[in-house]
Amino acid sequence: MKILLVEDDTALAEGLSASLKDAGVLVEVAGDGRTADFLVSTERYDAVVLDLGLPDGNGAQWLSGWRERGIDLPVLILTARERWSDKAAGFSAGADDYVTKPFETAEVLFRLRALVRRAHGHAHPVISVGDLTLDTHAGQVSRSGMPVSLTAQEFRLVSHLIQAAPRVVSRTELSEHVYDGDQEPDSNVIDVQVSRLRRKLGNHTIETLRGQGYRVTGGEDSR
């Protein structure tokens, strides 16, 4: 999961980013609405965490503009504003969820995972493809009921494939959602990681479709 955190409080942004990164989430930070506007227009994210009190305008106004332009990625508002009128304005602008400060990082993480899961069309937090299971709340992948030890990058890659299944995911999409913005992984890097995942999950769990990308089959016959 790759998110954009729009927050002008540097200390809060650094603390939340560090905690989310410890949980395997890729985080890019924007300190104002203008920077966030540029990033959501040019980069791919799974979700946005948006503060309302930004130095260059209300976060809800920026969000409204994104929705008008057809930018439909999930948005979680994170703000100290507790009044119902502020919450109503946020939801009216197109927010998907709303958390007030102070907050528990675990709650933000759970809510983000739920937003991303629903964006892929999954209502239940546990997603199964063949004998592979992704528990989005626990952040754990299992095969035939046995948890599999994965690196943070391996988990991001396979969890994105599982949530997208049975759709074929292109190399470009994987690079946008699995790697840091300052990384530009070539196809060989992605191939190497997929090969490592096959060794851990089973040779037939991830299918390569030449010229198209990858698809999780969960060990099932994909023909």
Side-chain angles (χ1 to χ4, degrees):
M1 177 167 54
K2 180 179 178 180
I3 73 159
L4 176 64
L5 172 59
V6 188
E7 173 61 64
D8 65 325
D9 184 327
T10 303
L12 188 153
E14 290 178 350
L16 180 57
S17 294
S19 296
L20 291 176
K21 288 177 181 177
D22 286 343
V25 180
L26 288 180
V27 183
E28 292 185 9
V29 179
D32 55 68
R34 190 174 303 278
T35 301
D37 186 65
F38 173 77
L39 289 173
V40 298
S41 301
T42 57
E43 302 290 337
R44 291 284 296 275
Y45 300 98
D46 292 297
V48 174
V49 177
L50 177 65
D51 186 18
L52 291 182
L54 298 174
D56 55 353
N58 189 300
Q61 294 174 331
W62 288 105
L63 173 56
S64 180
W66 301 340
R67 296 310 194 212
E68 289 175 1
R69 283 158 33 207
I71 299 173
D72 59 357
L73 75 173
V75 173
L76 168 66
I77 287 180
L78 185 65
T79 181
R81 300 180 182 182
E82 298 180 336
R83 294 181 305 177
W84 166 243
S85 59
D86 291 316
K87 295 181 180 180
F91 283 117
S92 296
D96 299 279
D97 205 348
Y98 197 111
V99 175
T100 55
K101 304 172 185 176
F103 58 88
E104 293 291 337
T105 301
E107 180 184 1
V108 174
L109 179 62
F110 284 143
R111 288 176 180 268
L112 282 172
R113 286 172 173 167
L115 288 178
V116 173
R117 183 186 74 241
R118 289 198 295 268
H120 282 280
H122 300 288
H124 198 278
V126 178
I127 305 166
S128 295
V129 180
D131 61 2
L132 292 183
T133 299
L134 168 66
D135 186 331
T136 59
H137 276 182
Q140 177 68 59
V141 172
S142 302
R143 184 187 182 201
S144 300
M146 297 298 293
V148 180
S149 178
L150 302 173
T151 67
Q153 205 162 74
E154 289 170 346
F155 175 79
R156 287 195 296 269
L157 195 154
V158 74
S159 65
H160 190 82
L161 289 174
I162 290 174
Q163 293 190 80
R167 181 171 61 84
V168 178
V169 179
S170 69
R171 295 173 184 268
T172 299
E173 181 178 335
L174 280 178
S175 67
E176 290 173 336
H177 290 269
V178 174
Y179 299 91
D180 283 312
D182 56 356
Q183 292 180 316
E184 294 183 2
D186 57 28
S187 60
N188 184 61
V189 171
I190 296 176
D191 286 339
V192 168
Q193 291 228 319
V194 169
S195 179
R196 290 174 179 168
L197 281 169
R198 286 179 177 138
R199 287 198 294 271
K200 292 183 177 183
L201 302 173
N203 289 330
H204 303 291
T205 54
I206 302 176
E207 178 186 17
T208 300
L209 289 89
R210 191 175 299 278
Q212 299 180 58
Y214 302 95
R215 175 172 60 195
V216 160
T217 64
E220 296 178 330
D221 189 346
S222 59
R223 291 174 296 176

